[in-house]
Amino acid sequence: MKQSRIQLLKQIYEHEQSNSSPLSISASNINKFDISALESEGYIVQPLNSIGAYHLSLTEKGETFVTNGFILETTAPSNTTFNFNNATFENSVVGSGISGNQLTFHSSPSLTELEALIQSKPVDDQVALNEMLEILREIQNSEKPIEKGRLSRFYEVIKKSSDLVLPISKFLFDIFFRLGA
């Protein structure tokens, strides 16, 4: 992180320790790009808007960054499992990234992820899973609708490995919406 941004975070922190109000700085005395970058990274907020001045407060992330000696926290990626047994969802979205009537879905290269997961499975299952992977690649490249039941023979092997469900779902989600567009 740039030194000017670290100094700004430190200045806000010191102000907040002795005052119960946001730090007010004249717009002519500060780099607006530093403010924009710190806001977009979630370190600061501007609780008040005014002309010619910035009113800045630290977020929890910003305060943690300052109190940890300006060392970025590294968090291990978490695996989250959702189990919906005997549930019916109609006109519903489960998860985050929802704004109004829009859902933002970020798909990673799911076939690459799936291929890596398959390598960690028992050798007996790898044969069937690699066959399924080839069918998924064929579906991806052909851009033709998927025939009903084409992947059903892989149900039992996928059921044994719940960590395969998300990458397969992400792949199919992407295919369905790409073909429908």
Side-chain angles (χ1 to χ4, degrees):
M1 181 178 289
K2 286 184 166 186
Q3 192 61 35
S4 60
R5 294 176 187 163
I6 289 174
Q7 289 302 320
L8 179 58
L9 290 171
K10 186 176 180 182
Q11 188 178 359
I12 296 168
Y13 179 79
E14 289 170 354
H15 176 81
E16 288 183 342
Q17 294 303 304
S18 58
N19 299 287
S20 61
S21 62
L23 173 66
S24 297
I25 300 177
S26 170
S28 62
N29 294 338
I30 194 160
N31 183 336
K32 67 180 179 181
F33 297 110
D34 285 346
I35 292 175
S36 179
L38 290 171
E39 266 189 307
S40 68
E41 292 174 24
Y43 290 105
I44 63 172
V45 293
Q46 293 187 62
L48 304 170
N49 292 320
S50 68
I51 297 173
Y54 291 101
H55 306 283
L56 308 171
S57 289
L58 290 177
T59 62
E60 185 176 339
K61 179 180 177 180
E63 189 169 343
T64 301
F65 182 65
V66 173
T67 57
N68 284 342
F70 304 102
I71 298 171
L72 292 172
E73 280 189 349
T74 55
T75 56
S78 64
N79 287 335
T80 305
T81 303
F82 298 96
N83 294 309
F84 301 105
N85 296 322
N86 299 323
T88 301
F89 293 95
E90 294 181 27
N91 299 322
S92 300
V93 176
V94 178
S96 61
I98 305 163
S99 175
N101 290 330
Q102 294 183 344
L103 167 67
T104 304
F105 181 79
H106 301 284
S107 177
S108 63
S110 51
L111 287 185
T112 306
E113 180 183 352
L114 185 58
E115 191 171 16
L117 286 170
I118 288 172
Q119 300 306 315
S120 68
K121 300 300 169 202
V123 177
D124 296 341
D125 293 343
Q126 283 185 24
V127 174
L129 291 170
N130 282 321
E131 185 181 345
M132 179 193 65
L133 187 62
E134 288 307 311
I135 292 172
L136 293 176
R137 282 195 178 107
E138 182 183 315
I139 290 168
Q140 183 179 41
N141 295 328
S142 71
E143 296 189 10
K144 293 179 183 173
I146 302 170
E147 305 91 42
K148 183 176 181 179
R150 184 163 184 201
L151 299 170
S152 62
R153 62 187 160 134
F154 302 107
Y155 174 76
E156 290 300 322
V157 71
I158 292 170
K159 191 168 85 171
K160 288 193 278 182
S161 304
S162 62
D163 58 334
L164 297 174
V165 174
L166 183 59
I168 292 170
S169 300
K170 287 180 355 184
F171 170 80
L172 293 173
F173 185 87
D174 183 52
I175 291 295
F176 290 150
F177 282 94
R178 186 177 47 142
L179 291 176

PDB file of all heavy atoms in Angstrom, residues 13 38 48 62 71 74 109 117 124 144-145 147 162 172:
ATOM      1  N   TYR A  13      -7.268   7.403  12.120  1.00  0.00           N
ATOM      2  CA  TYR A  13      -7.308   6.605  13.340  1.00  0.00           C
ATOM      3  C   TYR A  13      -7.013   7.465  14.565  1.00  0.00           C
ATOM      4  O   TYR A  13      -7.738   7.414  15.565  1.00  0.00           O
ATOM      5  CB  TYR A  13      -6.305   5.448  13.238  1.00  0.00           C
ATOM      6  CG  TYR A  13      -6.260   4.589  14.479  1.00  0.00           C
ATOM      7  CD1 TYR A  13      -7.240   3.634  14.710  1.00  0.00           C
ATOM      8  CD2 TYR A  13      -5.246   4.744  15.421  1.00  0.00           C
ATOM      9  CE1 TYR A  13      -7.206   2.841  15.851  1.00  0.00           C
ATOM     10  CE2 TYR A  13      -5.201   3.960  16.560  1.00  0.00           C
ATOM     11  CZ  TYR A  13      -6.186   3.011  16.767  1.00  0.00           C
ATOM     12  OH  TYR A  13      -6.165   2.239  17.904  1.00  0.00           O
ATOM     13  N   LEU A  38      -8.849   3.944  -1.044  1.00  0.00           N
ATOM     14  CA  LEU A  38      -9.135   3.420   0.301  1.00  0.00           C
ATOM     15  C   LEU A  38     -10.626   3.105   0.469  1.00  0.00           C
ATOM     16  O   LEU A  38     -10.982   2.141   1.146  1.00  0.00           O
ATOM     17  CB  LEU A  38      -8.660   4.406   1.366  1.00  0.00           C
ATOM     18  CG  LEU A  38      -7.137   4.537   1.497  1.00  0.00           C
ATOM     19  CD1 LEU A  38      -6.777   5.691   2.426  1.00  0.00           C
ATOM     20  CD2 LEU A  38      -6.521   3.233   1.989  1.00  0.00           C
ATOM     21  N   LEU A  48     -20.274  11.866   5.745  1.00  0.00           N
ATOM     22  CA  LEU A  48     -20.864  13.165   5.429  1.00  0.00           C
ATOM     23  C   LEU A  48     -20.331  13.646   4.089  1.00  0.00           C
ATOM     24  O   LEU A  48     -19.170  13.434   3.771  1.00  0.00           O
ATOM     25  CB  LEU A  48     -20.496  14.201   6.497  1.00  0.00           C
ATOM     26  CG  LEU A  48     -20.841  13.876   7.950  1.00  0.00           C
ATOM     27  CD1 LEU A  48     -20.183  14.876   8.877  1.00  0.00           C
ATOM     28  CD2 LEU A  48     -22.344  13.881   8.139  1.00  0.00           C
ATOM     29  N   GLY A  62     -10.481  -1.045   8.123  1.00  0.00           N
ATOM     30  CA  GLY A  62      -9.451  -0.022   8.206  1.00  0.00           C
ATOM     31  C   GLY A  62      -8.843   0.054   9.587  1.00  0.00           C
ATOM     32  O   GLY A  62      -7.619   0.168   9.752  1.00  0.00           O
ATOM     33  N   ILE A  71      -0.360  -4.265   8.510  1.00  0.00           N
ATOM     34  CA  ILE A  71      -0.101  -5.556   7.887  1.00  0.00           C
ATOM     35  C   ILE A  71      -1.431  -6.109   7.412  1.00  0.00           C
ATOM     36  O   ILE A  71      -2.391  -6.194   8.190  1.00  0.00           O
ATOM     37  CB  ILE A  71       0.561  -6.537   8.880  1.00  0.00           C
ATOM     38  CG1 ILE A  71       1.922  -5.970   9.336  1.00  0.00           C
ATOM     39  CG2 ILE A  71       0.727  -7.913   8.263  1.00  0.00           C
ATOM     40  CD1 ILE A  71       2.552  -6.736  10.477  1.00  0.00           C
ATOM     41  N   THR A  74      -4.291 -11.994   6.149  1.00  0.00           N
ATOM     42  CA  THR A  74      -4.461 -13.037   5.151  1.00  0.00           C
ATOM     43  C   THR A  74      -5.394 -14.073   5.736  1.00  0.00           C
ATOM     44  O   THR A  74      -5.141 -14.618   6.805  1.00  0.00           O
ATOM     45  CB  THR A  74      -3.117 -13.688   4.774  1.00  0.00           C
ATOM     46  OG1 THR A  74      -2.480 -14.164   5.964  1.00  0.00           O
ATOM     47  CG2 THR A  74      -2.201 -12.700   4.072  1.00  0.00           C
ATOM     48  N   PRO A 109     -13.315 -20.337 -13.703  1.00  0.00           N
ATOM     49  CA  PRO A 109     -13.172 -21.406 -14.694  1.00  0.00           C
ATOM     50  C   PRO A 109     -13.485 -22.747 -14.042  1.00  0.00           C
ATOM     51  O   PRO A 109     -12.623 -23.441 -13.528  1.00  0.00           O
ATOM     52  CB  PRO A 109     -11.707 -21.321 -15.118  1.00  0.00           C
ATOM     53  CG  PRO A 109     -11.148 -20.093 -14.509  1.00  0.00           C
ATOM     54  CD  PRO A 109     -12.084 -19.650 -13.436  1.00  0.00           C
ATOM     55  N   LEU A 117     -10.225 -31.172  -8.833  1.00  0.00           N
ATOM     56  CA  LEU A 117     -10.922 -31.966  -7.812  1.00  0.00           C
ATOM     57  C   LEU A 117     -10.974 -33.443  -8.189  1.00  0.00           C
ATOM     58  O   LEU A 117     -10.848 -34.319  -7.333  1.00  0.00           O
ATOM     59  CB  LEU A 117     -12.337 -31.426  -7.605  1.00  0.00           C
ATOM     60  CG  LEU A 117     -12.460 -30.120  -6.856  1.00  0.00           C
ATOM     61  CD1 LEU A 117     -13.877 -29.581  -6.932  1.00  0.00           C
ATOM     62  CD2 LEU A 117     -12.047 -30.293  -5.404  1.00  0.00           C
ATOM     63  N   ASP A 124     -10.938 -45.423  -8.961  1.00  0.00           N
ATOM     64  CA  ASP A 124     -12.140 -46.033  -9.539  1.00  0.00           C
ATOM     65  C   ASP A 124     -13.129 -44.963 -10.004  1.00  0.00           C
ATOM     66  O   ASP A 124     -13.741 -45.096 -11.061  1.00  0.00           O
ATOM     67  CB  ASP A 124     -12.836 -46.941  -8.514  1.00  0.00           C
ATOM     68  CG  ASP A 124     -11.965 -48.124  -8.105  1.00  0.00           C
ATOM     69  OD1 ASP A 124     -11.014 -48.446  -8.854  1.00  0.00           O
ATOM     70  OD2 ASP A 124     -12.230 -48.710  -7.047  1.00  0.00           O
ATOM     71  N   LYS A 144     -24.719 -26.499 -28.194  1.00  0.00           N
ATOM     72  CA  LYS A 144     -26.015 -27.098 -28.515  1.00  0.00           C
ATOM     73  C   LYS A 144     -26.707 -27.456 -27.209  1.00  0.00           C
ATOM     74  O   LYS A 144     -26.053 -27.696 -26.189  1.00  0.00           O
ATOM     75  CB  LYS A 144     -25.830 -28.355 -29.352  1.00  0.00           C
ATOM     76  CG  LYS A 144     -25.275 -28.072 -30.727  1.00  0.00           C
ATOM     77  CD  LYS A 144     -25.091 -29.348 -31.503  1.00  0.00           C
ATOM     78  CE  LYS A 144     -24.457 -29.043 -32.853  1.00  0.00           C
ATOM     79  NZ  LYS A 144     -24.113 -30.270 -33.561  1.00  0.00           N
ATOM     80  N   PRO A 145     -28.027 -27.508 -27.219  1.00  0.00           N
ATOM     81  CA  PRO A 145     -28.743 -27.893 -25.992  1.00  0.00           C
ATOM     82  C   PRO A 145     -28.316 -29.272 -25.500  1.00  0.00           C
ATOM     83  O   PRO A 145     -27.952 -30.142 -26.288  1.00  0.00           O
ATOM     84  CB  PRO A 145     -30.217 -27.892 -26.421  1.00  0.00           C
ATOM     85  CG  PRO A 145     -30.257 -27.029 -27.640  1.00  0.00           C
ATOM     86  CD  PRO A 145     -28.930 -27.188 -28.313  1.00  0.00           C
ATOM     87  N   GLU A 147     -28.929 -32.882 -24.128  1.00  0.00           N
ATOM     88  CA  GLU A 147     -30.008 -33.855 -24.200  1.00  0.00           C
ATOM     89  C   GLU A 147     -30.403 -34.292 -22.788  1.00  0.00           C
ATOM     90  O   GLU A 147     -29.551 -34.472 -21.925  1.00  0.00           O
ATOM     91  CB  GLU A 147     -29.584 -35.104 -24.993  1.00  0.00           C
ATOM     92  CG  GLU A 147     -29.078 -34.839 -26.377  1.00  0.00           C
ATOM     93  CD  GLU A 147     -27.569 -34.631 -26.396  1.00  0.00           C
ATOM     94  OE1 GLU A 147     -26.836 -35.352 -25.714  1.00  0.00           O
ATOM     95  OE2 GLU A 147     -27.144 -33.695 -27.089  1.00  0.00           O
ATOM     96  N   SER A 162     -19.476 -34.570  -2.678  1.00  0.00           N
ATOM     97  CA  SER A 162     -20.278 -33.340  -2.694  1.00  0.00           C
ATOM     98  C   SER A 162     -19.481 -32.114  -3.120  1.00  0.00           C
ATOM     99  O   SER A 162     -20.049 -31.131  -3.584  1.00  0.00           O
ATOM    100  CB  SER A 162     -20.910 -33.100  -1.322  1.00  0.00           C
ATOM    101  OG  SER A 162     -19.901 -32.922  -0.350  1.00  0.00           O
ATOM    102  N   LEU A 172     -22.736 -25.562 -15.499  1.00  0.00           N
ATOM    103  CA  LEU A 172     -24.046 -25.691 -16.139  1.00  0.00           C
ATOM    104  C   LEU A 172     -24.812 -24.374 -16.120  1.00  0.00           C
ATOM    105  O   LEU A 172     -25.479 -24.020 -17.098  1.00  0.00           O
ATOM    106  CB  LEU A 172     -24.854 -26.810 -15.477  1.00  0.00           C
ATOM    107  CG  LEU A 172     -24.290 -28.221 -15.695  1.00  0.00           C
ATOM    108  CD1 LEU A 172     -25.056 -29.245 -14.861  1.00  0.00           C
ATOM    109  CD2 LEU A 172     -24.303 -28.601 -17.160  1.00  0.00           C
TER     110      LEU A 172
END
